[in-house]
Short mmCIF file of all heavy atoms in Angstrom, two decimals:
data_model
loop_
_atom_site.label_atom_id
_atom_site.label_comp_id
_atom_site.label_asym_id
_atom_site.label_seq_id
_atom_site.Cartn_x
_atom_site.Cartn_y
_atom_site.Cartn_z
N GLY H 1 3.94 4.73 -1.49
CA GLY H 1 3.76 3.32 -1.54
C GLY H 1 5.12 2.59 -1.18
O GLY H 1 5.13 1.65 -0.36
N ALA H 2 6.28 3.22 -1.70
CA ALA H 2 7.61 2.59 -1.42
C ALA H 2 7.89 2.76 0.04
O ALA H 2 8.45 1.82 0.65
CB ALA H 2 8.58 3.15 -2.30
N GLU H 3 7.58 3.95 0.64
CA GLU H 3 7.89 4.13 1.99
C GLU H 3 7.05 3.32 2.93
O GLU H 3 7.67 2.71 3.88
CB GLU H 3 7.66 5.64 2.33
CG GLU H 3 8.05 6.05 3.74
CD GLU H 3 7.92 7.53 4.03
OE1 GLU H 3 8.14 8.28 3.12
OE2 GLU H 3 7.49 7.80 5.11
N LEU H 4 5.82 3.15 2.62
CA LEU H 4 4.99 2.26 3.43
C LEU H 4 5.36 0.74 3.29
O LEU H 4 5.46 0.06 4.26
CB LEU H 4 3.53 2.45 3.02
CG LEU H 4 2.91 3.83 3.35
CD1 LEU H 4 1.53 3.87 2.78
CD2 LEU H 4 2.94 4.12 4.74
N SER H 5 5.86 0.32 2.07
CA SER H 5 6.25 -1.00 1.92
C SER H 5 7.58 -1.25 2.69
O SER H 5 7.79 -2.25 3.20
CB SER H 5 6.48 -1.36 0.39
OG SER H 5 5.16 -1.34 -0.25
N ALA H 6 8.51 -0.30 2.58
CA ALA H 6 9.78 -0.44 3.34
C ALA H 6 9.69 -0.49 4.73
O ALA H 6 10.67 -0.87 5.48
CB ALA H 6 10.70 0.67 2.88
N SER H 7 8.54 0.11 5.28
CA SER H 7 8.45 0.07 6.78
C SER H 7 8.29 -1.30 7.33
O SER H 7 8.50 -1.52 8.52
CB SER H 7 7.25 0.97 7.19
OG SER H 7 6.00 0.20 6.93
N SER H 8 7.96 -2.33 6.45
CA SER H 8 7.85 -3.74 6.86
C SER H 8 7.00 -3.82 8.14
O SER H 8 7.14 -4.66 9.04
CB SER H 8 9.19 -4.39 7.10
OG SER H 8 9.90 -3.87 8.22
N LYS H 9 5.95 -3.05 8.22
CA LYS H 9 5.04 -3.04 9.33
C LYS H 9 3.70 -3.61 8.80
O LYS H 9 3.52 -3.54 7.71
CB LYS H 9 4.87 -1.68 9.99
CG LYS H 9 6.20 -1.01 10.43
CD LYS H 9 6.31 -0.61 11.83
CE LYS H 9 7.46 0.12 12.16
NZ LYS H 9 8.47 -0.47 12.85
N SER H 10 2.92 -4.04 9.72
CA SER H 10 1.54 -4.44 9.41
C SER H 10 0.61 -3.31 9.40
O SER H 10 0.01 -2.86 10.33
CB SER H 10 1.07 -5.56 10.51
OG SER H 10 -0.15 -5.92 10.29
N LEU H 11 0.34 -2.90 8.14
CA LEU H 11 -0.46 -1.79 7.85
C LEU H 11 -1.78 -2.24 7.16
O LEU H 11 -1.82 -3.16 6.35
CB LEU H 11 0.17 -0.70 6.84
CG LEU H 11 1.29 0.02 7.48
CD1 LEU H 11 2.07 0.80 6.42
CD2 LEU H 11 0.82 1.04 8.53
N LYS H 12 -2.79 -1.59 7.56
CA LYS H 12 -4.27 -1.98 7.05
C LYS H 12 -4.91 -0.70 6.62
O LYS H 12 -4.80 0.33 7.22
CB LYS H 12 -5.04 -2.78 7.99
CG LYS H 12 -4.59 -4.09 8.41
CD LYS H 12 -5.53 -4.73 9.40
CE LYS H 12 -5.02 -6.03 9.70
NZ LYS H 12 -5.95 -6.79 10.62
N TRP H 13 -5.69 -0.82 5.54
CA TRP H 13 -6.58 0.23 5.05
C TRP H 13 -7.92 -0.21 4.94
O TRP H 13 -8.16 -1.23 4.35
CB TRP H 13 -6.03 0.74 3.72
CG TRP H 13 -6.95 1.80 3.03
CD1 TRP H 13 -7.53 2.90 3.64
CD2 TRP H 13 -7.34 1.75 1.69
NE1 TRP H 13 -8.23 3.58 2.63
CE2 TRP H 13 -8.12 2.88 1.48
CE3 TRP H 13 -7.03 0.92 0.61
CZ2 TRP H 13 -8.77 3.20 0.29
CZ3 TRP H 13 -7.60 1.27 -0.64
CH2 TRP H 13 -8.42 2.35 -0.79
N ASP H 14 -8.87 0.43 5.78
CA ASP H 14 -10.24 0.03 5.72
C ASP H 14 -10.45 -1.54 6.12
O ASP H 14 -11.13 -2.26 5.51
CB ASP H 14 -10.86 0.22 4.33
CG ASP H 14 -12.39 0.37 4.47
OD1 ASP H 14 -12.89 0.65 5.45
OD2 ASP H 14 -13.07 -0.15 3.45
N GLY H 15 -9.54 -1.91 7.04
CA GLY H 15 -9.66 -3.24 7.59
C GLY H 15 -8.90 -4.32 6.83
O GLY H 15 -8.94 -5.48 7.20
N GLU H 16 -8.44 -4.00 5.62
CA GLU H 16 -7.70 -4.97 4.75
C GLU H 16 -6.28 -4.78 4.83
O GLU H 16 -5.77 -3.62 4.89
CB GLU H 16 -8.25 -4.78 3.27
CG GLU H 16 -9.64 -5.01 3.11
CD GLU H 16 -10.10 -6.34 3.44
OE1 GLU H 16 -9.36 -7.29 2.97
OE2 GLU H 16 -11.18 -6.58 3.88
N PRO H 17 -5.46 -5.85 4.68
CA PRO H 17 -3.99 -5.70 4.72
C PRO H 17 -3.41 -5.15 3.40
O PRO H 17 -2.84 -5.86 2.61
CB PRO H 17 -3.60 -7.22 4.88
CG PRO H 17 -4.63 -8.00 4.30
CD PRO H 17 -5.94 -7.24 4.48
N SER H 18 -3.66 -3.82 3.26
CA SER H 18 -3.18 -3.17 2.10
C SER H 18 -3.21 -1.70 2.48
O SER H 18 -3.82 -1.25 3.36
CB SER H 18 -4.20 -3.29 0.89
OG SER H 18 -3.94 -2.42 -0.13
N THR H 19 -2.36 -1.01 1.76
CA THR H 19 -2.31 0.55 1.92
C THR H 19 -3.02 1.32 0.92
O THR H 19 -3.36 2.41 1.02
CB THR H 19 -0.88 1.01 1.91
OG1 THR H 19 -0.27 0.89 0.61
CG2 THR H 19 0.03 0.43 3.02
N GLY H 20 -3.31 0.63 -0.29
CA GLY H 20 -3.94 1.21 -1.31
C GLY H 20 -3.04 2.19 -2.23
O GLY H 20 -3.49 2.80 -3.11
N PHE H 21 -1.74 2.17 -1.90
CA PHE H 21 -0.85 2.83 -2.74
C PHE H 21 -0.10 1.98 -3.54
O PHE H 21 0.16 0.80 -3.24
CB PHE H 21 0.16 3.68 -1.71
CG PHE H 21 -0.53 4.81 -1.12
CD1 PHE H 21 -1.06 4.71 0.16
CD2 PHE H 21 -0.67 6.04 -1.67
CE1 PHE H 21 -1.65 5.74 0.90
CE2 PHE H 21 -1.31 7.18 -1.04
CZ PHE H 21 -1.79 6.95 0.25
N PRO H 22 0.35 2.43 -4.86
CA PRO H 22 1.10 1.62 -5.66
C PRO H 22 2.49 1.28 -5.11
O PRO H 22 3.03 2.02 -4.37
CB PRO H 22 1.29 2.49 -6.96
CG PRO H 22 1.11 3.91 -6.43
CD PRO H 22 0.15 3.84 -5.27
N ALA H 23 2.86 -0.01 -5.38
CA ALA H 23 4.15 -0.55 -4.85
C ALA H 23 5.36 -0.11 -5.66
O ALA H 23 6.42 -0.12 -5.16
CB ALA H 23 4.08 -2.12 -4.72
N SER H 24 5.03 0.32 -6.92
CA SER H 24 6.11 0.76 -7.87
C SER H 24 5.55 1.51 -9.01
O SER H 24 4.22 1.63 -9.15
CB SER H 24 6.92 -0.44 -8.36
OG SER H 24 6.07 -1.13 -9.34
N ILE H 25 6.38 2.15 -9.86
CA ILE H 25 5.84 2.92 -10.90
C ILE H 25 5.11 1.96 -11.99
O ILE H 25 4.41 2.46 -12.73
CB ILE H 25 7.04 3.70 -11.56
CG1 ILE H 25 6.51 4.72 -12.47
CG2 ILE H 25 7.94 2.67 -12.33
CD1 ILE H 25 5.97 5.90 -11.94
N HIS H 26 5.39 0.76 -11.79
CA HIS H 26 4.75 -0.28 -12.83
C HIS H 26 3.47 -0.77 -12.18
O HIS H 26 2.85 -1.77 -12.79
CB HIS H 26 5.71 -1.36 -13.25
CG HIS H 26 6.98 -0.83 -13.77
ND1 HIS H 26 7.04 -0.18 -15.01
CD2 HIS H 26 8.24 -0.79 -13.28
CE1 HIS H 26 8.14 0.21 -15.29
NE2 HIS H 26 9.00 -0.02 -14.29
N ASP H 27 3.03 -0.42 -11.11
CA ASP H 27 1.81 -0.84 -10.47
C ASP H 27 0.54 -0.55 -11.37
O ASP H 27 0.44 0.48 -11.97
CB ASP H 27 1.67 -0.12 -9.08
CG ASP H 27 0.52 -0.73 -8.23
OD1 ASP H 27 -0.59 -0.49 -8.53
OD2 ASP H 27 0.91 -1.58 -7.30
N PRO H 28 -0.44 -1.46 -11.42
CA PRO H 28 -1.62 -1.26 -12.17
C PRO H 28 -2.39 0.08 -11.90
O PRO H 28 -3.11 0.51 -12.76
CB PRO H 28 -2.46 -2.43 -11.93
CG PRO H 28 -1.48 -3.47 -11.39
CD PRO H 28 -0.37 -2.79 -10.78
N VAL H 29 -2.30 0.58 -10.57
CA VAL H 29 -2.94 1.81 -10.28
C VAL H 29 -2.53 2.93 -11.23
O VAL H 29 -3.26 3.80 -11.62
CB VAL H 29 -2.62 2.16 -8.82
CG1 VAL H 29 -3.09 3.60 -8.48
CG2 VAL H 29 -2.99 1.16 -7.86
#
């Protein structure tokens, strides 16, 4: 999640603007 967030690129998962990975250890996931 951190690597994908740091890429600062426009990533989508299943058509939505999200990767589905937690952004940090404190993520609700």
Side-chain angles (χ1 to χ4, degrees):
E3 184 174 325
L4 295 174
S5 293
S7 74
S8 70
K9 308 241 188 250
S10 176
L11 291 166
K12 291 183 180 180
W13 172 45
D14 199 29
E16 297 296 320
S18 167
T19 65
F21 288 94
S24 76
I25 195 73
H26 303 289
D27 192 281
V29 171

